[in-house]
Amino acid sequence: MPDGSGPVLAEVQKSPEPEPPEQDEIAGEEAAERPQDVEDPRPQPTPQTRTQPAKGWSPSRFWRVVTFNGTAALVGSAVGLSAYLSQFPPAAVTAAGGLLGAGIAFGGAFAAWKAAGSEMLSPFVPFGAWGRIGAVFVAAEVGRRLGQELLPYTSDAVARYVGLSQADTSLLVVGFTMCGASGWLVWRTRGGGLVKRWLARIPLATSLLVCALYSNGPVI
């Protein structure tokens, strides 16, 4: 080192640190590195606007019930069922006993059939199925006789507590018997198809029509 020369300061220039890339630049680079999506050569379906169909007139529940029962009553009148049932209201006093007996006989026969076939009573019924059928006939006969004997007492009780005459009571018995028997048939077929329920509705609709049109009073 020569004399008189001072120390030499070496200046070291520090290179500036690179700034971190922005998030947008990173996303752009990743997108550039990813291969482009291959376009599907199949034609894409064009969206179509489905037009709503115009709502037509639909009958309400009231008109469906009227049509269902009205057509059943018309068929009952056409086949002669209304002409047959129309014989009972004018002769209510003489027919009430027979109809009440028939109704009780039918109810007794049905109850005997169910009771004789139950697990509790079936072991006590002799002769198996024949004994069950015999019990049905015995119950039906007892119900028929009981119904004929019960009508005068029923008429007296109704006249005493309600004020209706024997003729009015007989007319009510006739109406309830006709409509009740046919109504039971409707109830039994309530779970069937439309045609089956409509066929079962014919006796009930015809009975209601006969009772509604009868206005002359019972004939003794």
Side-chain angles (χ1 to χ4, degrees):
M1 176 180 299
D3 296 339
S5 62
V8 179
L9 299 179
E11 294 183 359
V12 179
Q13 294 183 355
K14 188 177 181 180
S15 62
E17 298 180 358
E19 296 182 358
E22 299 293 337
Q23 295 294 334
D24 296 340
E25 296 179 359
I26 296 176
E29 292 177 358
E30 292 179 355
E33 293 176 357
R34 289 197 302 266
Q36 298 294 330
D37 297 336
V38 179
E39 296 183 358
D40 191 358
R42 293 176 299 178
Q44 299 294 330
T46 56
Q48 297 180 356
T49 304
R50 182 177 297 179
T51 59
Q52 296 293 335
K55 295 182 178 180
W57 179 83
S58 59
S60 61
R61 178 178 175 81
F62 172 77
W63 288 112
R64 289 198 300 266
V65 171
V66 170
T67 304
F68 191 76
N69 293 274
T71 53
L74 289 177
V75 171
S77 301
V79 299
L81 183 59
S82 61
Y84 174 75
L85 295 177
S86 299
Q87 301 175 4
F88 295 104
V93 173
T94 57
L99 287 177
L100 184 59
I104 297 180
F106 183 80
F110 181 76
W113 177 264
K114 289 294 186 181
S118 62
E119 297 181 357
M120 184 181 297
L121 299 178
S122 58
F124 301 98
V125 178
F127 307 110
W130 291 105
R132 188 179 183 184
I133 295 174
V136 169
F137 278 102
V138 170
E141 180 63 21
V142 172
R144 185 185 67 83
R145 294 179 180 272
L146 180 62
Q148 292 179 351
E149 299 294 334
L150 188 63
L151 181 62
Y153 300 99
T154 305
S155 300
D156 294 339
V158 172
R160 185 182 304 112
Y161 295 104
V162 182
L164 297 177
S165 62
Q166 182 182 1
D168 297 335
T169 304
S170 301
L171 185 61
L172 287 177
V173 169
V174 169
F176 278 122
T177 303
M178 291 193 308
C179 298
S182 53
W184 179 84
L185 180 62
V186 171
W187 180 77
R188 291 291 296 177
T189 58
R190 67 189 184 280
L194 180 62
V195 177
K196 184 178 180 180
R197 290 186 288 112
W198 180 79
L199 291 175
R201 191 62 63 91
I202 292 176
L204 177 59
T206 308
S207 300
L208 292 174
L209 180 63
V210 168
C211 293
L213 295 179
Y214 180 72
S215 59
N216 295 328
V219 178
I220 299 176

